[in-house]
Amino acid sequence: MIEGESTAMPLGLLAEEVADLCARDDSDVPAFERLLDSVLFWGFRDPAALVEALSSGAGTPVGAARHPLGGGRLLRHIVSHGLRPGLAGGSGGSGWLELCQHQATDYAFGARTGELVQRLRTGDAIPCLLSRPSRPGGAVEPQDLVARLAAHQRAGVRPGAADLGLALLRCGGGPVAPDVLRAAEKLELPEGPRVAAWLRQGGLPRPGSWREREAGEPQRPSRRRGYRIGRRVLIGTEAIEGRGEFPRRFWSLFRAYEPHISCPHSGLHSRDAHAASVLPWHPEIVAARQLAEVASVADQDGRSGAEFLPALAASEGPAGPAVHLALAYGLAAVPEADRLAAARALVTLADRGGLDGALLGREIAELVGLGTLKVPQLTDSLRAAGGTPGGAAPVWNVMAAALPGLLTHTRPQLHGPLLAIGADSAGLSGARGTIPEVAAIAERPGSSQVVRQARRLRDSLAGA
Protein backbone atom coordinates (compact mmCIF):
# COMPACT_ATOMS: atom_id res chain seq x y z
CA MET A 1 0.00 0.00 0.00
CA ILE A 2 1.17 3.55 -0.74
CA GLU A 3 1.07 5.61 2.47
CA GLY A 4 -1.52 8.32 2.04
CA GLU A 5 -4.14 5.99 0.56
CA SER A 6 -7.08 4.96 2.71
CA THR A 7 -7.37 1.30 3.72
CA ALA A 8 -11.11 1.27 4.37
CA MET A 9 -12.75 -1.91 5.58
CA PRO A 10 -16.12 -3.20 4.26
CA LEU A 11 -19.16 -1.53 5.80
CA GLY A 12 -20.42 -4.66 7.55
CA LEU A 13 -17.08 -5.27 9.23
CA LEU A 14 -16.80 -1.57 10.09
CA ALA A 15 -20.17 -1.64 11.89
CA GLU A 16 -19.11 -4.72 13.87
CA GLU A 17 -15.79 -3.17 14.83
CA VAL A 18 -17.40 0.10 15.96
CA ALA A 19 -19.95 -1.77 18.08
CA ASP A 20 -17.16 -3.86 19.57
CA LEU A 21 -15.12 -0.78 20.42
CA CYS A 22 -18.14 0.78 22.14
CA ALA A 23 -18.68 -2.38 24.17
CA ARG A 24 -15.18 -3.34 25.22
CA ASP A 25 -12.74 -0.44 25.48
CA ASP A 26 -13.14 3.16 24.38
CA SER A 27 -9.45 3.80 25.09
CA ASP A 28 -8.02 1.69 22.27
CA VAL A 29 -6.28 4.45 20.30
CA PRO A 30 -4.97 2.38 17.35
CA ALA A 31 -8.37 0.74 16.82
CA PHE A 32 -10.19 4.06 17.03
CA GLU A 33 -7.91 5.82 14.55
CA ARG A 34 -8.04 2.89 12.10
CA LEU A 35 -11.84 2.86 12.24
CA LEU A 36 -11.99 6.65 11.91
CA ASP A 37 -10.15 6.36 8.59
CA SER A 38 -12.79 3.91 7.33
CA VAL A 39 -15.64 6.07 8.64
CA LEU A 40 -14.33 9.02 6.64
CA PHE A 41 -13.82 6.90 3.51
CA TRP A 42 -17.46 5.75 3.50
CA GLY A 43 -18.79 9.05 4.79
CA PHE A 44 -17.50 10.83 1.69
CA ARG A 45 -18.38 8.07 -0.78
CA ASP A 46 -21.64 6.50 0.46
CA PRO A 47 -22.92 8.39 3.51
CA ALA A 48 -26.41 6.84 3.48
CA ALA A 49 -24.97 3.33 3.56
CA LEU A 50 -22.61 4.29 6.39
CA VAL A 51 -25.43 5.71 8.52
CA GLU A 52 -27.57 2.62 7.90
CA ALA A 53 -24.71 0.25 8.73
CA LEU A 54 -23.84 1.94 12.01
CA SER A 55 -27.50 2.41 12.98
CA SER A 56 -28.22 -1.28 12.53
CA GLY A 57 -25.12 -2.39 14.41
CA ALA A 58 -25.19 -3.53 18.01
CA GLY A 59 -24.50 -1.10 20.82
CA THR A 60 -25.11 2.63 21.06
CA PRO A 61 -27.27 3.81 18.14
CA VAL A 62 -26.14 6.62 15.88
CA GLY A 63 -27.20 9.88 17.47
CA ALA A 64 -26.84 8.68 21.08
CA ALA A 65 -23.17 9.53 21.59
CA ARG A 66 -22.14 11.12 24.87
CA HIS A 67 -19.11 13.38 25.29
CA PRO A 68 -17.06 13.15 22.06
CA LEU A 69 -13.90 11.74 23.60
CA GLY A 70 -13.97 7.98 23.72
CA GLY A 71 -13.49 5.45 20.98
CA GLY A 72 -16.62 3.96 19.46
CA ARG A 73 -18.91 6.64 20.86
CA LEU A 74 -16.86 9.35 19.20
CA LEU A 75 -17.08 7.54 15.85
CA ARG A 76 -20.85 7.44 16.16
CA HIS A 77 -20.84 11.12 17.14
CA ILE A 78 -18.94 12.03 13.98
CA VAL A 79 -21.33 10.10 11.78
CA SER A 80 -24.39 11.46 13.58
CA HIS A 81 -23.42 15.11 13.43
CA GLY A 82 -21.73 14.97 10.05
CA LEU A 83 -24.29 12.97 8.09
CA ARG A 84 -27.64 13.13 9.86
CA PRO A 85 -29.73 16.20 8.99
CA GLY A 86 -31.01 18.37 11.82
CA LEU A 87 -28.21 17.62 14.29
CA ALA A 88 -25.95 20.48 15.29
CA GLY A 89 -22.28 19.75 14.74
CA GLY A 90 -19.35 21.28 16.57
CA SER A 91 -17.30 23.08 13.98
CA GLY A 92 -14.93 24.84 16.34
CA GLY A 93 -16.00 28.29 15.17
CA SER A 94 -15.17 31.75 16.43
CA GLY A 95 -17.64 31.50 19.31
CA TRP A 96 -15.50 28.95 21.13
CA LEU A 97 -14.36 29.92 24.64
CA GLU A 98 -11.46 28.33 26.47
CA LEU A 99 -12.69 27.39 29.93
CA CYS A 100 -10.17 25.08 31.53
CA GLN A 101 -6.40 24.78 31.21
CA HIS A 102 -6.57 21.16 32.35
CA GLN A 103 -8.50 20.15 29.23
CA ALA A 104 -5.94 21.36 26.68
CA THR A 105 -5.56 17.93 25.09
CA ASP A 106 -9.34 17.58 24.95
CA TYR A 107 -9.62 20.91 23.10
CA ALA A 108 -7.03 19.92 20.49
CA PHE A 109 -8.47 16.45 19.99
CA GLY A 110 -11.98 17.87 19.79
CA ALA A 111 -10.93 20.46 17.21
CA ARG A 112 -10.17 17.67 14.76
CA THR A 113 -13.55 16.10 15.51
CA GLY A 114 -15.39 19.33 14.75
CA GLU A 115 -13.40 19.81 11.56
CA LEU A 116 -14.15 16.30 10.32
CA VAL A 117 -17.84 16.72 11.08
CA GLN A 118 -17.89 19.93 9.05
CA ARG A 119 -16.11 18.33 6.09
CA LEU A 120 -18.55 15.44 6.08
CA ARG A 121 -21.46 17.87 6.12
CA THR A 122 -20.14 19.82 3.16
CA GLY A 123 -18.84 16.78 1.26
CA ASP A 124 -15.33 18.27 1.33
CA ALA A 125 -13.58 14.92 0.84
CA ILE A 126 -10.01 14.22 1.94
CA PRO A 127 -7.85 11.36 0.64
CA CYS A 128 -6.72 10.33 4.12
CA LEU A 129 -6.23 11.53 7.69
CA LEU A 130 -2.96 13.36 8.21
CA SER A 131 -3.05 12.71 11.95
CA ARG A 132 -3.61 8.93 11.84
CA PRO A 133 -0.95 7.46 14.16
CA SER A 134 1.89 5.42 12.74
CA ARG A 135 2.63 3.89 16.15
CA PRO A 136 0.35 2.48 18.87
CA GLY A 137 0.91 5.41 21.25
CA GLY A 138 -0.19 8.02 18.74
CA ALA A 139 3.08 9.11 17.10
CA VAL A 140 3.05 9.98 13.40
CA GLU A 141 6.19 9.11 11.44
CA PRO A 142 7.59 12.06 9.45
CA GLN A 143 7.69 10.05 6.22
CA ASP A 144 4.01 9.12 6.67
CA LEU A 145 2.99 12.73 7.18
CA VAL A 146 4.86 13.85 4.06
CA ALA A 147 3.33 11.03 2.00
CA ARG A 148 -0.17 11.92 3.18
CA LEU A 149 0.37 15.57 2.32
CA ALA A 150 1.54 14.49 -1.13
CA ALA A 151 -1.72 12.56 -1.50
CA HIS A 152 -3.65 15.73 -0.65
CA GLN A 153 -1.59 17.59 -3.22
CA ARG A 154 -2.34 15.02 -5.94
CA ALA A 155 -6.05 15.22 -5.10
CA GLY A 156 -6.02 19.01 -5.17
CA VAL A 157 -7.30 19.16 -1.56
CA ARG A 158 -6.10 21.52 1.18
CA PRO A 159 -5.40 19.84 4.55
CA GLY A 160 -7.71 20.65 7.42
CA ALA A 161 -6.09 23.03 9.91
CA ALA A 162 -6.95 20.87 12.94
CA ASP A 163 -6.01 17.60 11.22
CA LEU A 164 -2.65 19.08 10.25
CA GLY A 165 -2.21 20.62 13.70
CA LEU A 166 -2.77 17.31 15.46
CA ALA A 167 -0.50 15.54 12.96
CA LEU A 168 2.29 18.01 13.71
CA LEU A 169 1.89 17.57 17.47
CA ARG A 170 2.14 13.83 16.97
CA CYS A 171 5.18 14.14 14.71
CA GLY A 172 8.54 14.95 16.28
CA GLY A 173 11.02 13.46 18.65
CA GLY A 174 14.27 14.35 16.96
CA PRO A 175 16.13 14.74 13.67
CA VAL A 176 14.39 13.72 10.47
CA ALA A 177 16.02 11.67 7.70
CA PRO A 178 17.43 13.94 4.95
CA ASP A 179 15.36 12.32 2.20
CA VAL A 180 12.14 12.89 4.17
CA LEU A 181 13.05 16.51 4.76
CA ARG A 182 13.82 17.01 1.06
CA ALA A 183 10.43 15.51 0.16
CA ALA A 184 8.73 17.91 2.58
CA GLU A 185 10.56 20.86 1.06
CA LYS A 186 9.34 19.85 -2.42
CA LEU A 187 5.65 19.91 -1.44
CA GLU A 188 3.72 22.48 -3.46
CA LEU A 189 0.93 22.88 -0.94
CA PRO A 190 0.83 26.24 0.90
CA GLU A 191 1.40 24.25 4.11
CA GLY A 192 4.62 22.71 2.76
CA PRO A 193 7.12 25.27 4.12
CA ARG A 194 5.53 25.12 7.57
CA VAL A 195 5.70 21.33 7.65
CA ALA A 196 9.32 21.33 6.47
CA ALA A 197 10.27 23.88 9.15
CA TRP A 198 8.48 21.80 11.81
CA LEU A 199 10.33 18.64 10.81
CA ARG A 200 13.61 20.55 10.62
CA GLN A 201 13.27 21.71 14.24
CA GLY A 202 12.35 18.21 15.46
CA GLY A 203 8.74 18.90 16.41
CA LEU A 204 7.28 20.75 19.38
CA PRO A 205 9.98 22.22 21.68
CA ARG A 206 10.08 20.92 25.25
CA PRO A 207 8.96 23.58 27.74
CA GLY A 208 10.68 24.29 31.01
CA SER A 209 8.89 23.11 34.15
CA TRP A 210 8.84 23.62 37.88
CA ARG A 211 7.65 21.69 40.92
CA GLU A 212 5.19 23.08 43.47
CA ARG A 213 3.95 21.75 46.79
CA GLU A 214 0.68 22.90 48.26
CA ALA A 215 1.13 25.20 51.22
CA GLY A 216 0.54 24.03 54.77
CA GLU A 217 1.71 21.43 57.24
CA PRO A 218 1.50 17.69 56.53
CA GLN A 219 -1.66 15.97 57.79
CA ARG A 220 -2.78 12.39 58.22
CA PRO A 221 -5.11 11.05 55.51
CA SER A 222 -8.78 11.63 56.29
CA ARG A 223 -11.41 8.90 56.52
CA ARG A 224 -14.21 11.31 55.66
CA ARG A 225 -15.72 10.56 52.28
CA GLY A 226 -14.89 13.19 49.68
CA TYR A 227 -12.68 15.18 52.07
CA ARG A 228 -9.10 15.77 51.06
CA ILE A 229 -6.20 16.60 53.33
CA GLY A 230 -2.49 16.20 52.77
CA ARG A 231 -0.27 18.28 50.55
CA ARG A 232 -0.13 17.52 46.85
CA VAL A 233 2.99 18.05 44.78
CA LEU A 234 2.20 19.33 41.27
CA ILE A 235 4.14 20.40 38.17
CA GLY A 236 3.90 23.64 36.19
CA THR A 237 5.14 24.18 32.66
CA GLU A 238 6.36 27.27 30.83
CA ALA A 239 4.80 28.67 27.66
CA ILE A 240 5.82 27.35 24.23
CA GLU A 241 6.32 29.60 21.22
CA GLY A 242 4.53 29.09 17.92
CA ARG A 243 0.86 28.77 18.83
CA GLY A 244 -0.21 31.33 16.21
CA GLU A 245 0.12 28.84 13.34
CA PHE A 246 -2.34 26.45 15.00
CA PRO A 247 -6.14 26.75 15.35
CA ARG A 248 -7.27 28.60 18.46
CA ARG A 249 -8.41 25.42 20.17
CA PHE A 250 -4.77 24.31 20.24
CA TRP A 251 -3.52 27.43 21.97
CA SER A 252 -4.14 26.17 25.49
CA LEU A 253 -1.41 23.55 24.97
CA PHE A 254 1.08 26.34 24.27
CA ARG A 255 0.18 28.47 27.29
CA ALA A 256 2.07 28.38 30.57
CA TYR A 257 0.39 25.98 32.97
CA GLU A 258 -0.08 27.13 36.57
CA PRO A 259 -0.70 23.98 38.60
CA HIS A 260 -2.59 25.52 41.50
CA ILE A 261 -5.23 27.31 39.46
CA SER A 262 -8.28 25.17 40.09
CA CYS A 263 -11.50 25.03 38.12
CA PRO A 264 -14.71 22.99 37.98
CA HIS A 265 -14.26 21.86 34.39
CA SER A 266 -11.54 19.22 34.57
CA GLY A 267 -12.99 15.76 34.22
CA LEU A 268 -12.59 12.12 33.36
CA HIS A 269 -12.86 12.57 29.59
CA SER A 270 -9.56 14.51 29.61
CA ARG A 271 -7.77 11.69 31.40
CA ASP A 272 -7.67 8.75 29.03
CA ALA A 273 -5.53 7.12 26.37
CA HIS A 274 -6.71 9.60 23.73
CA ALA A 275 -5.39 12.49 25.83
CA ALA A 276 -1.95 10.88 25.96
CA SER A 277 -2.02 10.30 22.19
CA VAL A 278 -2.32 14.03 21.43
CA LEU A 279 1.29 14.65 22.52
CA PRO A 280 3.03 11.26 22.36
CA TRP A 281 6.47 12.92 22.36
CA HIS A 282 5.58 15.10 25.37
CA PRO A 283 4.08 12.97 28.14
CA GLU A 284 5.30 15.55 30.65
CA ILE A 285 2.96 18.24 29.27
CA VAL A 286 0.03 15.82 29.36
CA ALA A 287 0.84 14.50 32.84
CA ALA A 288 1.38 17.95 34.35
CA ARG A 289 -2.09 19.11 33.28
CA GLN A 290 -3.75 15.95 34.60
CA LEU A 291 -1.87 15.59 37.91
CA ALA A 292 -4.60 17.12 40.06
CA GLU A 293 -7.16 14.75 38.55
CA VAL A 294 -4.87 11.74 38.95
CA ALA A 295 -4.14 12.76 42.55
CA SER A 296 -7.86 12.90 43.29
CA VAL A 297 -8.14 9.11 42.95
CA ALA A 298 -5.60 8.81 45.78
CA ASP A 299 -6.60 11.52 48.27
CA GLN A 300 -10.30 11.92 47.42
CA ASP A 301 -13.08 9.87 45.91
CA GLY A 302 -11.87 10.73 42.43
CA ARG A 303 -13.42 9.18 39.35
CA SER A 304 -11.43 6.43 37.75
CA GLY A 305 -9.46 6.92 34.55
CA ALA A 306 -7.56 3.67 34.68
CA GLU A 307 -6.41 3.63 31.06
CA PHE A 308 -4.56 6.93 31.30
CA LEU A 309 -1.38 5.88 33.14
CA PRO A 310 -0.53 2.85 30.93
CA ALA A 311 -1.03 5.05 27.85
CA LEU A 312 1.14 7.75 29.36
CA ALA A 313 3.86 5.20 30.17
CA ALA A 314 3.77 3.93 26.58
CA SER A 315 4.33 7.41 25.12
CA GLU A 316 7.36 7.92 22.91
CA GLY A 317 8.80 10.92 24.76
CA PRO A 318 10.88 10.99 27.95
CA ALA A 319 9.22 10.63 31.35
CA GLY A 320 10.16 13.31 33.86
CA PRO A 321 8.85 14.49 37.22
CA ALA A 322 5.22 14.91 36.11
CA VAL A 323 4.94 11.35 34.79
CA HIS A 324 6.61 9.93 37.90
CA LEU A 325 4.31 11.93 40.19
CA ALA A 326 1.32 10.66 38.22
CA LEU A 327 2.57 7.11 38.81
CA ALA A 328 3.01 7.80 42.52
CA TYR A 329 -0.58 9.02 42.88
CA GLY A 330 -1.89 6.16 40.76
CA LEU A 331 -0.11 3.52 42.83
CA ALA A 332 -1.98 4.79 45.91
CA ALA A 333 -5.36 5.18 44.18
CA VAL A 334 -8.48 4.18 46.05
CA PRO A 335 -10.15 2.43 43.06
CA GLU A 336 -8.53 -0.96 42.51
CA ALA A 337 -8.69 -0.53 38.73
CA ASP A 338 -6.47 2.53 38.95
CA ARG A 339 -3.97 0.79 41.22
CA LEU A 340 -3.67 -2.13 38.82
CA ALA A 341 -3.33 0.30 35.90
CA ALA A 342 -0.55 2.15 37.73
CA ALA A 343 1.23 -1.15 38.39
CA ARG A 344 1.07 -1.98 34.66
CA ALA A 345 2.29 1.51 33.83
CA LEU A 346 5.29 1.15 36.14
CA VAL A 347 6.40 -2.05 34.42
CA THR A 348 5.69 -0.61 30.96
CA LEU A 349 7.78 2.46 31.67
CA ALA A 350 10.61 0.28 33.00
CA ASP A 351 10.49 -1.94 29.91
CA ARG A 352 10.88 1.18 27.76
CA GLY A 353 13.89 2.28 29.80
CA GLY A 354 12.06 5.40 30.99
CA LEU A 355 11.56 4.62 34.68
CA ASP A 356 13.65 6.51 37.21
CA GLY A 357 13.08 4.23 40.18
CA ALA A 358 14.97 6.48 42.59
CA LEU A 359 12.87 9.49 41.58
CA LEU A 360 9.60 7.59 41.95
CA GLY A 361 10.70 6.19 45.29
CA ARG A 362 11.54 9.63 46.64
CA GLU A 363 8.23 11.05 45.44
CA ILE A 364 6.31 8.22 47.09
CA ALA A 365 8.13 8.70 50.39
CA GLU A 366 7.53 12.46 50.37
CA LEU A 367 3.84 12.17 49.50
CA VAL A 368 3.30 9.58 52.22
CA GLY A 369 5.06 11.88 54.68
CA LEU A 370 2.82 14.75 53.63
CA GLY A 371 -0.28 12.66 54.30
CA THR A 372 -1.33 12.58 50.64
CA LEU A 373 -0.83 8.87 49.91
CA LYS A 374 -2.04 5.91 51.95
CA VAL A 375 0.43 3.07 52.51
CA PRO A 376 -2.00 0.08 52.26
CA GLN A 377 -2.94 1.06 48.70
CA LEU A 378 0.72 1.50 47.81
CA THR A 379 1.64 -1.93 49.08
CA ASP A 380 -1.16 -3.52 47.02
CA SER A 381 0.06 -1.82 43.83
CA LEU A 382 3.75 -2.51 44.36
CA ARG A 383 3.03 -6.14 45.19
CA ALA A 384 1.03 -6.46 41.97
CA ALA A 385 3.77 -4.79 39.91
CA GLY A 386 6.48 -6.96 41.47
CA GLY A 387 4.54 -10.11 40.62
CA THR A 388 4.36 -9.38 36.90
CA PRO A 389 7.05 -10.63 34.48
CA GLY A 390 9.92 -8.18 34.56
CA GLY A 391 8.44 -6.29 37.50
CA ALA A 392 10.74 -7.31 40.34
CA ALA A 393 13.76 -5.18 39.38
CA PRO A 394 11.87 -1.91 38.83
CA VAL A 395 9.87 -2.41 42.03
CA TRP A 396 13.08 -2.94 43.95
CA ASN A 397 14.60 0.22 42.47
CA VAL A 398 11.56 2.12 43.71
CA MET A 399 11.57 0.46 47.13
CA ALA A 400 15.28 1.04 47.64
CA ALA A 401 14.69 4.80 47.40
CA ALA A 402 11.34 4.85 49.20
CA LEU A 403 12.01 2.59 52.19
CA PRO A 404 14.23 4.93 54.25
CA GLY A 405 11.54 7.62 54.24
CA LEU A 406 8.62 5.22 54.59
CA LEU A 407 10.18 3.45 57.58
CA THR A 408 10.89 6.80 59.23
CA HIS A 409 7.59 8.59 58.66
CA THR A 410 4.94 5.85 58.92
CA ARG A 411 3.48 3.80 61.76
CA PRO A 412 5.35 0.56 62.61
CA GLN A 413 2.18 -1.44 61.89
CA LEU A 414 2.66 -0.63 58.19
CA HIS A 415 6.31 -1.65 57.96
CA GLY A 416 5.86 -5.41 57.66
CA PRO A 417 4.15 -5.45 54.23
CA LEU A 418 6.55 -2.82 52.89
CA LEU A 419 9.58 -4.81 53.99
CA ALA A 420 8.07 -8.01 52.57
CA ILE A 421 7.68 -6.39 49.15
CA GLY A 422 11.25 -5.16 49.41
CA ALA A 423 12.55 -8.60 50.33
CA ASP A 424 10.60 -10.32 47.54
CA SER A 425 11.62 -7.87 44.81
CA ALA A 426 15.25 -7.71 45.97
CA GLY A 427 15.47 -11.50 46.03
CA LEU A 428 13.93 -11.95 42.60
CA SER A 429 16.07 -9.24 41.03
CA GLY A 430 19.34 -10.27 42.69
CA ALA A 431 19.86 -6.80 44.21
CA ARG A 432 22.80 -6.19 46.54
CA GLY A 433 23.65 -3.46 49.02
CA THR A 434 22.60 -2.15 52.41
CA ILE A 435 19.88 0.14 53.72
CA PRO A 436 20.76 1.43 57.23
CA GLU A 437 17.13 1.82 58.27
CA VAL A 438 16.43 -1.80 57.35
CA ALA A 439 19.57 -3.04 59.06
CA ALA A 440 18.60 -1.22 62.26
CA ILE A 441 15.21 -2.96 62.38
CA ALA A 442 16.81 -6.33 61.58
CA GLU A 443 19.08 -5.98 64.63
CA ARG A 444 16.18 -5.64 67.03
CA PRO A 445 15.44 -8.60 69.32
CA GLY A 446 12.34 -10.70 68.85
CA SER A 447 10.57 -12.32 65.94
CA SER A 448 7.74 -9.95 65.03
CA GLN A 449 6.66 -9.76 61.39
CA VAL A 450 8.48 -6.44 60.95
CA VAL A 451 11.75 -7.82 62.30
CA ARG A 452 11.46 -11.06 60.30
CA GLN A 453 10.86 -9.21 57.03
CA ALA A 454 13.68 -6.77 57.75
CA ARG A 455 16.05 -9.70 58.27
CA ARG A 456 14.86 -11.31 55.03
CA LEU A 457 15.59 -8.12 53.15
CA ARG A 458 18.95 -7.55 54.85
CA ASP A 459 20.07 -11.10 54.14
CA SER A 460 18.87 -10.98 50.54
CA LEU A 461 20.82 -7.77 49.89
CA ALA A 462 23.89 -9.39 51.48
CA GLY A 463 23.58 -12.40 49.16
CA ALA A 464 22.99 -14.75 52.07
Side-chain angles (χ1 to χ4, degrees):
M1 182 200 77
I2 300 173
E3 182 55 60
E5 294 180 351
S6 178
T7 55
M9 60 182 64
L11 275 172
L13 179 59
L14 174 61
E16 292 178 7
E17 294 278 348
V18 171
D20 181 59
L21 189 62
C22 283
R24 62 178 171 84
D25 185 3
D26 272 351
S27 67
D28 190 335
V29 172
F32 164 75
E33 296 279 352
R34 175 174 50 84
L35 292 172
L36 176 59
D37 200 48
S38 291
V39 163
L40 293 174
F41 177 89
W42 290 109
F44 290 125
R45 288 161 179 81
D46 196 343
L50 175 64
V51 170
E52 181 181 0
L54 294 192
S55 295
S56 62
T60 307
V62 171
R66 59 180 190 185
H67 189 282
L69 238 187
R73 294 179 178 87
L74 177 52
L75 292 169
R76 294 180 181 275
H77 169 92
I78 291 171
V79 173
S80 296
H81 291 263
L83 300 178
R84 293 278 290 259
L87 287 176
S91 61
S94 59
W96 176 74
L97 176 66
E98 178 182 350
L99 294 175
C100 171
Q101 60 178 345
H102 303 93
Q103 295 195 51
T105 55
D106 188 359
Y107 295 148
F109 195 83
R112 183 185 66 166
T113 300
E115 182 176 273
L116 294 176
V117 166
Q118 193 64 23
R119 296 193 86 144
L120 283 171
R121 285 188 155 203
T122 60
D124 185 13
I126 56 175
C128 60
L129 266 181
L130 297 175
S131 53
R132 188 179 74 234
S134 308
R135 303 187 190 184
V140 173
E141 296 285 4
Q143 62 268 26
D144 291 344
L145 175 57
V146 173
R148 294 167 190 171
L149 284 165
H152 278 65
Q153 180 175 296
R154 290 192 298 272
V157 176
R158 291 287 299 278
D163 186 22
L164 177 59
L166 183 56
L168 291 176
L169 293 181
R170 288 174 164 177
C171 188
V176 177
D179 60 324
V180 175
L181 189 55
R182 284 193 298 270
E185 292 168 343
K186 292 178 181 178
L187 289 171
E188 297 175 2
L189 290 168
E191 294 80 8
R194 175 189 174 196
V195 171
W198 183 269
L199 297 179
R200 200 177 296 116
Q201 76 178 20
L204 187 71
R206 302 196 186 284
S209 63
W210 68 92
R211 189 175 185 272
E212 287 190 15
R213 201 197 93 182
E214 287 180 325
E217 295 300 317
Q219 301 180 52
R220 296 267 305 270
S222 172
R223 293 181 183 275
R224 288 172 54 189
R225 180 174 178 81
Y227 183 71
R228 180 177 75 83
I229 58 178
R231 300 293 173 231
R232 290 175 178 171
V233 177
L234 302 174
I235 300 293
T237 58
E238 296 176 355
I240 306 172
E241 296 294 326
R243 75 180 189 187
E245 294 187 309
F246 286 79
R248 279 195 62 195
R249 285 180 181 251
F250 286 70
W251 287 10
S252 189
L253 285 170
F254 290 78
R255 300 189 198 282
Y257 173 65
E258 299 286 345
H260 287 133
I261 296 178
S262 62
C263 70
H265 306 104
S266 56
L268 177 62
H269 54 270
S270 294
R271 181 162 46 88
D272 65 4
H274 295 284
S277 76
V278 170
L279 288 170
W281 297 102
H282 293 271
E284 282 292 290
I285 298 176
V286 179
R289 290 172 181 267
Q290 299 302 321
L291 267 184
E293 278 295 299
V294 177
S296 74
V297 299
D299 61 16
Q300 287 181 286
D301 297 314
R303 293 173 295 173
S304 176
E307 69 273 16
F308 176 68
L309 290 178
L312 197 67
S315 295
E316 304 287 346
V323 171
H324 285 80
L325 276 168
L327 273 180
Y329 291 122
L331 289 167
V334 175
E336 183 181 11
D338 286 85
R339 294 199 301 274
L340 294 176
R344 293 198 307 273
L346 188 156
V347 177
T348 297
L349 192 59
D351 288 343
R352 289 184 50 241
L355 178 69
D356 186 336
L359 172 61
L360 179 56
R362 292 193 301 269
E363 297 290 12
I364 286 173
E366 179 177 355
L367 290 168
V368 168
L370 292 173
T372 306
L373 304 187
K374 302 177 182 68
V375 173
Q377 281 87 347
L378 275 172
T379 55
D380 285 349
S381 302
L382 292 170
R383 187 181 300 112
T388 61
V395 167
W396 169 247
N397 291 334
V398 173
M399 294 299 294
L403 273 175
L406 294 177
L407 295 174
T408 302
H409 298 297
T410 59
R411 302 190 306 275
Q413 298 95 309
L414 302 173
H415 294 173
L418 289 170
L419 289 165
I421 292 170
D424 292 342
S425 57
L428 289 171
S429 61
R432 297 290 181 267
T434 58
I435 297 178
E437 292 81 359
V438 173
I441 296 175
E443 294 300 324
R444 294 176 188 171
S447 58
S448 67
Q449 181 196 21
V450 172
V451 172
R452 291 199 312 272
Q453 297 299 339
R455 289 170 182 166
R456 277 187 64 216
L457 177 53
R458 177 200 61 187
D459 293 346
S460 178
L461 291 175

